[in-house]
Amino acid sequence: MQTTAQLKGITEKFKNVKLPFGKPKEVVAVDIGSHSVKIVQLKHTGEKWTLEKYASAIATSLDSAEVTPLERKQVAINAIKKLLSENKISAKDAVTSVSGNSVIVRYVKFPKLTPEQLSKTIQFEAEPFIPFPIQDVNISFQILGDVTEEGSQKMETILVAAKKEIIQNKLDILMEAGLIPVVVDVDSFALENAISINATEEEIKQVYLIINCGMSTTNISIVEDGTSRVVRDVFTASSSFTKAIQRNLQADWKQSEEKKFKHGILVTPEQKEEALAKGNDEALQISTILISAVKELVAECQRSIDFYQTQSAAEKPVNKIYLCGGGALLKGLDKYIESQLHLPVEILNPFAKLTDKAGIPDEEIRKFSQYAVAVGLATRRRGDVK
């Protein structure tokens, strides 16, 4: 999707801000995760995007059970302030995103209306599809096109609803960090943008699955011809893998994280034989524990593919997987998913076409992949309405 849905009403308090004449203001993209904050700034010249700045900071630690929501919020605010200061970012317009169980994305068929008519009736039309009280959510939509169903003309629409509470929390964090929120997007849509500015036209026309494995949430989406067809958030994520090690080894969080990233998953028989030959029992043990946990994530991906293939509009098979997020740092995760789903897996480098650097080591690409959401957000500007 070349442009992504903006949640209407979320920036209502800024509707009277006068926009400057001339080129749009610079923006800073702020991806506020459950574990870290990532910021990205891009420069747009003609049709080319250039990477200006990027940085990240740990925002909180998931093993700190005693940390209150208010304390987590303040840590995120402080992290953003620090990143802005250290990287000398003067832009005030900020773009962020939401995901998780407070965000609903539905593909629905409404009676044929103009966008203006649907805007006026969206609260009524959307209510049957939203599992939350309609007054508790902000709603947006994007019309995909006309379809005929049972002899009636309808329009296929992406419907997005997010709880006002989660949106307000993101807005509060940005504003208390000295920024002006101008767009709040959805993680999965931002990921589409990150891929679209780095992929070739041929690649964009393909059907691909995106797995953005974060600390507490994994965004799974399937994109066909540049338009998302399946969007899901699941809670088998990087922290799930760490917790599995904790449970099995009775280790603390820090030790479990270290073991997870030190050993990763042994996928091939050769890797397992090498570990046996070296007497590396811990590597074998950690791999076995991780595979048990990762199987749940693979199952969620397979469910998404199965659902996509049952849709009447799905004429092409999924032929590629992009893996990104902090979870992509787990050695062997890409190869294991590839072996189970029988599809090529590429670790997404969202900076691929944004810099002139060549020959980037695989480990660096894994680190860069956690900036995918922020890169997609950085393509947005004040006034975007799609």
Side-chain angles (χ1 to χ4, degrees):
M1 187 180 297
Q2 295 300 318
T3 54
T4 55
Q6 181 179 0
L7 298 174
K8 297 181 185 298
I10 55 179
T11 53
E12 186 69 17
K13 65 183 70 181
F14 304 112
K15 67 181 180 180
N16 294 320
V17 175
K18 293 183 179 180
L19 302 186
F21 292 102
K23 63 182 180 181
K25 281 186 176 182
E26 286 187 331
V27 302
V28 56
V30 186
D31 176 15
I32 307 168
S34 59
H35 181 62
S36 64
V37 172
K38 278 81 69 177
I39 62 170
V40 167
Q41 255 195 319
L42 301 182
K43 182 179 180 181
H44 196 205
T45 306
E47 295 184 358
K48 183 179 179 181
W49 290 95
T50 305
L51 180 64
E52 294 279 283
K53 294 176 181 177
Y54 71 96
S56 66
I58 300 301
T60 189
S61 180
L62 285 188
D63 62 327
S64 302
E66 297 179 0
V67 175
T68 67
L70 188 60
E71 288 171 329
R72 285 176 181 262
K73 186 174 180 179
Q74 190 58 53
V75 172
I77 293 166
N78 293 341
I80 295 170
K81 285 181 176 179
K82 182 181 179 183
L83 290 173
L84 295 174
S85 174
E86 289 180 346
N87 292 277
K88 297 180 173 57
I89 293 176
S90 59
K92 292 300 180 184
D93 282 2
V95 182
T96 193
S97 57
V98 291
S99 66
N101 55 10
S102 294
V103 181
I104 301 295
V105 178
R106 295 282 186 269
Y107 293 78
V108 299
K109 296 179 179 70
F110 289 134
K112 187 157 174 56
L113 300 169
T114 66
E116 293 74 20
Q117 289 171 327
L118 185 56
S119 291
K120 293 176 182 178
T121 62
I122 190 63
Q123 295 286 115
F124 172 76
E125 298 285 357
E127 192 163 11
F129 304 98
I130 306 301
F132 311 127
I134 204 71
Q135 68 273 13
D136 292 344
V137 298
N138 289 117
I139 297 173
S140 184
F141 66 88
Q142 181 163 327
I143 298 171
L144 296 178
D146 295 340
V147 294
T148 301
E149 188 175 79
E150 298 178 354
S152 299
Q153 277 292 103
K154 295 188 177 181
M155 54 186 187
E156 190 175 12
T157 307
I158 300 178
L159 179 67
V160 184
K163 282 190 174 181
K164 293 177 179 177
E165 181 182 8
I166 187 175
I167 293 172
Q168 191 59 53
N169 183 61
K170 293 289 181 82
L171 296 180
D172 289 345
I173 289 172
L174 293 178
M175 289 187 290
E176 290 182 42
L179 298 170
I180 302 172
V182 295
V183 175
V184 177
D185 211 330
V186 175
D187 283 4
S188 292
F189 297 156
L191 290 164
E192 291 175 38
N193 274 7
I195 291 173
S196 71
I197 65 173
N198 283 286
T200 65
E201 288 187 17
E202 187 59 35
E203 287 171 330
I204 292 173
K205 290 178 182 177
Q206 295 177 353
V207 179
Y208 55 84
L209 170 72
I210 307 171
I211 306 171
N212 180 44
C213 184
M215 180 59 82
S216 59
T217 304
T218 297
N219 313 120
I220 299 174
S221 56
I222 296 177
V223 182
E224 176 191 310
D225 289 334
T227 300
S228 64
R229 291 293 175 180
V230 176
V231 173
R232 299 178 62 219
D233 290 341
V234 301
F235 302 98
T236 300
S238 188
S239 64
S240 308
F241 311 150
T242 306
K243 289 173 183 175
I245 296 172
Q246 276 190 291
R247 287 193 304 271
N248 282 272
L249 301 186
Q250 300 299 306
D252 64 26
W253 178 270
K254 184 178 179 182
Q255 290 173 329
S256 300
E257 278 276 284
E258 289 173 352
K259 292 178 186 296
K260 177 178 75 174
F261 289 118
K262 177 183 178 181
H263 298 297
I265 300 173
L266 304 177
V267 181
T268 66
E270 292 77 15
Q271 288 175 320
K272 295 171 185 175
E273 288 170 8
E274 184 181 355
L276 276 171
K278 292 180 177 179
N280 196 345
D281 294 339
E282 184 176 77
L284 290 163
Q285 184 180 28
I286 295 298
S287 178
T288 301
I289 294 169
L290 288 173
I291 285 174
S292 178
V294 172
K295 277 182 178 178
E296 296 180 29
L297 178 58
V298 171
E300 292 290 359
C301 293
Q302 186 62 61
R303 289 187 194 101
S304 299
I305 293 172
D306 293 343
F307 177 76
Y308 166 75
Q309 292 176 337
T310 63
Q311 303 307 295
S312 57
E315 299 178 354
K316 305 178 189 176
V318 177
N319 49 32
K320 185 173 185 177
I321 297 173
Y322 287 104
L323 175 63
C324 55
L329 288 166
L330 179 62
K331 289 183 289 188
L333 179 60
D334 53 333
K335 296 303 179 184
Y336 181 76
I337 293 173
E338 191 170 85
S339 71
Q340 298 301 299
L341 296 179
H342 309 292
L343 290 167
V345 177
E346 177 183 330
I347 295 177
L348 175 62
N349 176 8
F351 299 156
K353 288 190 177 179
L354 307 182
T355 67
D356 296 325
K357 295 177 182 177
I360 299 172
D362 180 64
E363 288 306 310
E364 287 303 306
I365 292 176
R366 288 178 184 271
K367 291 177 183 177
F368 291 163
S369 77
Q370 65 187 309
Y371 288 94
V373 168
V375 167
L377 293 176
T379 66
R380 305 299 303 276
R381 292 295 184 268
R382 181 198 289 262
D384 284 355
V385 293
K386 290 184 178 180

PDB file of all heavy atoms in Angstrom, residues 25-42:
ATOM      1  N   LYS A  25       6.667  20.124   6.250  1.00  0.00           N
ATOM      2  CA  LYS A  25       7.682  20.177   7.298  1.00  0.00           C
ATOM      3  C   LYS A  25       8.381  18.831   7.445  1.00  0.00           C
ATOM      4  O   LYS A  25       7.845  17.778   7.111  1.00  0.00           O
ATOM      5  CB  LYS A  25       7.014  20.526   8.628  1.00  0.00           C
ATOM      6  CG  LYS A  25       6.684  21.983   8.828  1.00  0.00           C
ATOM      7  CD  LYS A  25       6.179  22.172  10.251  1.00  0.00           C
ATOM      8  CE  LYS A  25       5.921  23.645  10.554  1.00  0.00           C
ATOM      9  NZ  LYS A  25       5.475  23.827  11.950  1.00  0.00           N
ATOM     10  N   GLU A  26       9.591  18.877   7.980  1.00  0.00           N
ATOM     11  CA  GLU A  26      10.286  17.639   8.321  1.00  0.00           C
ATOM     12  C   GLU A  26       9.517  16.937   9.431  1.00  0.00           C
ATOM     13  O   GLU A  26       8.913  17.580  10.295  1.00  0.00           O
ATOM     14  CB  GLU A  26      11.695  17.938   8.819  1.00  0.00           C
ATOM     15  CG  GLU A  26      12.673  18.340   7.733  1.00  0.00           C
ATOM     16  CD  GLU A  26      14.084  18.454   8.292  1.00  0.00           C
ATOM     17  OE1 GLU A  26      14.223  18.772   9.496  1.00  0.00           O
ATOM     18  OE2 GLU A  26      15.042  18.210   7.540  1.00  0.00           O
ATOM     19  N   VAL A  27       9.558  15.619   9.395  1.00  0.00           N
ATOM     20  CA  VAL A  27       8.935  14.856  10.470  1.00  0.00           C
ATOM     21  C   VAL A  27       9.971  13.906  11.057  1.00  0.00           C
ATOM     22  O   VAL A  27      10.964  13.566  10.412  1.00  0.00           O
ATOM     23  CB  VAL A  27       7.722  14.035   9.986  1.00  0.00           C
ATOM     24  CG1 VAL A  27       6.665  14.929   9.362  1.00  0.00           C
ATOM     25  CG2 VAL A  27       8.144  12.933   9.024  1.00  0.00           C
ATOM     26  N   VAL A  28       9.705  13.490  12.271  1.00  0.00           N
ATOM     27  CA  VAL A  28      10.510  12.432  12.881  1.00  0.00           C
ATOM     28  C   VAL A  28       9.549  11.286  13.178  1.00  0.00           C
ATOM     29  O   VAL A  28       8.471  11.478  13.741  1.00  0.00           O
ATOM     30  CB  VAL A  28      11.222  12.916  14.157  1.00  0.00           C
ATOM     31  CG1 VAL A  28      10.252  13.480  15.182  1.00  0.00           C
ATOM     32  CG2 VAL A  28      12.037  11.775  14.770  1.00  0.00           C
ATOM     33  N   ALA A  29       9.917  10.092  12.733  1.00  0.00           N
ATOM     34  CA  ALA A  29       9.119   8.903  12.998  1.00  0.00           C
ATOM     35  C   ALA A  29       9.552   8.304  14.324  1.00  0.00           C
ATOM     36  O   ALA A  29      10.746   8.141  14.580  1.00  0.00           O
ATOM     37  CB  ALA A  29       9.303   7.883  11.883  1.00  0.00           C
ATOM     38  N   VAL A  30       8.581   8.003  15.171  1.00  0.00           N
ATOM     39  CA  VAL A  30       8.879   7.473  16.505  1.00  0.00           C
ATOM     40  C   VAL A  30       8.099   6.177  16.702  1.00  0.00           C
ATOM     41  O   VAL A  30       6.880   6.180  16.826  1.00  0.00           O
ATOM     42  CB  VAL A  30       8.498   8.483  17.612  1.00  0.00           C
ATOM     43  CG1 VAL A  30       8.964   7.959  18.971  1.00  0.00           C
ATOM     44  CG2 VAL A  30       9.093   9.854  17.337  1.00  0.00           C
ATOM     45  N   ASP A  31       8.822   5.079  16.692  1.00  0.00           N
ATOM     46  CA  ASP A  31       8.220   3.761  16.930  1.00  0.00           C
ATOM     47  C   ASP A  31       8.392   3.440  18.408  1.00  0.00           C
ATOM     48  O   ASP A  31       9.484   3.129  18.871  1.00  0.00           O
ATOM     49  CB  ASP A  31       8.914   2.716  16.046  1.00  0.00           C
ATOM     50  CG  ASP A  31       8.414   1.303  16.311  1.00  0.00           C
ATOM     51  OD1 ASP A  31       7.351   1.148  16.946  1.00  0.00           O
ATOM     52  OD2 ASP A  31       9.097   0.342  15.893  1.00  0.00           O
ATOM     53  N   ILE A  32       7.287   3.532  19.157  1.00  0.00           N
ATOM     54  CA  ILE A  32       7.327   3.321  20.607  1.00  0.00           C
ATOM     55  C   ILE A  32       6.933   1.883  20.894  1.00  0.00           C
ATOM     56  O   ILE A  32       5.750   1.527  20.896  1.00  0.00           O
ATOM     57  CB  ILE A  32       6.373   4.295  21.337  1.00  0.00           C
ATOM     58  CG1 ILE A  32       6.665   5.733  20.921  1.00  0.00           C
ATOM     59  CG2 ILE A  32       6.497   4.129  22.850  1.00  0.00           C
ATOM     60  CD1 ILE A  32       5.601   6.729  21.371  1.00  0.00           C
ATOM     61  N   GLY A  33       7.916   1.025  21.100  1.00  0.00           N
ATOM     62  CA  GLY A  33       7.646  -0.374  21.373  1.00  0.00           C
ATOM     63  C   GLY A  33       7.542  -0.656  22.857  1.00  0.00           C
ATOM     64  O   GLY A  33       7.727   0.227  23.696  1.00  0.00           O
ATOM     65  N   SER A  34       7.244  -1.904  23.184  1.00  0.00           N
ATOM     66  CA  SER A  34       7.119  -2.279  24.596  1.00  0.00           C
ATOM     67  C   SER A  34       8.483  -2.387  25.272  1.00  0.00           C
ATOM     68  O   SER A  34       8.572  -2.386  26.491  1.00  0.00           O
ATOM     69  CB  SER A  34       6.383  -3.616  24.719  1.00  0.00           C
ATOM     70  OG  SER A  34       7.089  -4.627  24.014  1.00  0.00           O
ATOM     71  N   HIS A  35       9.543  -2.473  24.457  1.00  0.00           N
ATOM     72  CA  HIS A  35      10.880  -2.654  25.019  1.00  0.00           C
ATOM     73  C   HIS A  35      11.841  -1.534  24.643  1.00  0.00           C
ATOM     74  O   HIS A  35      12.737  -1.194  25.404  1.00  0.00           O
ATOM     75  CB  HIS A  35      11.447  -3.993  24.538  1.00  0.00           C
ATOM     76  CG  HIS A  35      12.806  -4.306  25.065  1.00  0.00           C
ATOM     77  ND1 HIS A  35      13.067  -4.461  26.409  1.00  0.00           N
ATOM     78  CD2 HIS A  35      13.995  -4.505  24.424  1.00  0.00           C
ATOM     79  CE1 HIS A  35      14.348  -4.744  26.576  1.00  0.00           C
ATOM     80  NE2 HIS A  35      14.937  -4.773  25.397  1.00  0.00           N
ATOM     81  N   SER A  36      11.654  -0.957  23.443  1.00  0.00           N
ATOM     82  CA  SER A  36      12.570   0.085  22.992  1.00  0.00           C
ATOM     83  C   SER A  36      11.846   1.126  22.152  1.00  0.00           C
ATOM     84  O   SER A  36      10.721   0.911  21.699  1.00  0.00           O
ATOM     85  CB  SER A  36      13.720  -0.520  22.180  1.00  0.00           C
ATOM     86  OG  SER A  36      13.229  -1.115  20.989  1.00  0.00           O
ATOM     87  N   VAL A  37      12.521   2.252  21.966  1.00  0.00           N
ATOM     88  CA  VAL A  37      12.023   3.322  21.117  1.00  0.00           C
ATOM     89  C   VAL A  37      12.978   3.472  19.942  1.00  0.00           C
ATOM     90  O   VAL A  37      14.199   3.505  20.131  1.00  0.00           O
ATOM     91  CB  VAL A  37      11.932   4.659  21.886  1.00  0.00           C
ATOM     92  CG1 VAL A  37      11.610   5.808  20.940  1.00  0.00           C
ATOM     93  CG2 VAL A  37      10.874   4.581  22.977  1.00  0.00           C
ATOM     94  N   LYS A  38      12.436   3.527  18.726  1.00  0.00           N
ATOM     95  CA  LYS A  38      13.253   3.748  17.537  1.00  0.00           C
ATOM     96  C   LYS A  38      12.806   5.026  16.853  1.00  0.00           C
ATOM     97  O   LYS A  38      11.593   5.277  16.762  1.00  0.00           O
ATOM     98  CB  LYS A  38      13.099   2.586  16.534  1.00  0.00           C
ATOM     99  CG  LYS A  38      13.952   1.376  16.830  1.00  0.00           C
ATOM    100  CD  LYS A  38      13.371   0.465  17.880  1.00  0.00           C
ATOM    101  CE  LYS A  38      12.141  -0.239  17.416  1.00  0.00           C
ATOM    102  NZ  LYS A  38      11.621  -1.186  18.445  1.00  0.00           N
ATOM    103  N   ILE A  39      13.767   5.834  16.408  1.00  0.00           N
ATOM    104  CA  ILE A  39      13.429   7.042  15.670  1.00  0.00           C
ATOM    105  C   ILE A  39      14.147   7.013  14.318  1.00  0.00           C
ATOM    106  O   ILE A  39      15.260   6.506  14.209  1.00  0.00           O
ATOM    107  CB  ILE A  39      13.796   8.331  16.437  1.00  0.00           C
ATOM    108  CG1 ILE A  39      15.305   8.406  16.692  1.00  0.00           C
ATOM    109  CG2 ILE A  39      13.016   8.438  17.737  1.00  0.00           C
ATOM    110  CD1 ILE A  39      15.751   9.762  17.223  1.00  0.00           C
ATOM    111  N   VAL A  40      13.480   7.540  13.299  1.00  0.00           N
ATOM    112  CA  VAL A  40      14.042   7.608  11.953  1.00  0.00           C
ATOM    113  C   VAL A  40      13.631   8.920  11.313  1.00  0.00           C
ATOM    114  O   VAL A  40      12.482   9.373  11.479  1.00  0.00           O
ATOM    115  CB  VAL A  40      13.557   6.435  11.070  1.00  0.00           C
ATOM    116  CG1 VAL A  40      13.887   6.681   9.595  1.00  0.00           C
ATOM    117  CG2 VAL A  40      14.187   5.121  11.514  1.00  0.00           C
ATOM    118  N   GLN A  41      14.547   9.530  10.586  1.00  0.00           N
ATOM    119  CA  GLN A  41      14.247  10.694   9.757  1.00  0.00           C
ATOM    120  C   GLN A  41      14.677  10.402   8.331  1.00  0.00           C
ATOM    121  O   GLN A  41      15.805   9.950   8.099  1.00  0.00           O
ATOM    122  CB  GLN A  41      14.978  11.932  10.266  1.00  0.00           C
ATOM    123  CG  GLN A  41      14.065  12.911  10.990  1.00  0.00           C
ATOM    124  CD  GLN A  41      14.709  14.274  11.166  1.00  0.00           C
ATOM    125  OE1 GLN A  41      15.887  14.385  11.470  1.00  0.00           O
ATOM    126  NE2 GLN A  41      13.918  15.305  11.003  1.00  0.00           N
ATOM    127  N   LEU A  42      13.774  10.637   7.379  1.00  0.00           N
ATOM    128  CA  LEU A  42      14.077  10.465   5.969  1.00  0.00           C
ATOM    129  C   LEU A  42      13.939  11.793   5.250  1.00  0.00           C
ATOM    130  O   LEU A  42      13.137  12.638   5.643  1.00  0.00           O
ATOM    131  CB  LEU A  42      13.118   9.460   5.314  1.00  0.00           C
ATOM    132  CG  LEU A  42      13.065   8.045   5.873  1.00  0.00           C
ATOM    133  CD1 LEU A  42      12.084   7.206   5.059  1.00  0.00           C
ATOM    134  CD2 LEU A  42      14.434   7.389   5.882  1.00  0.00           C
TER     135      LEU A  42
END
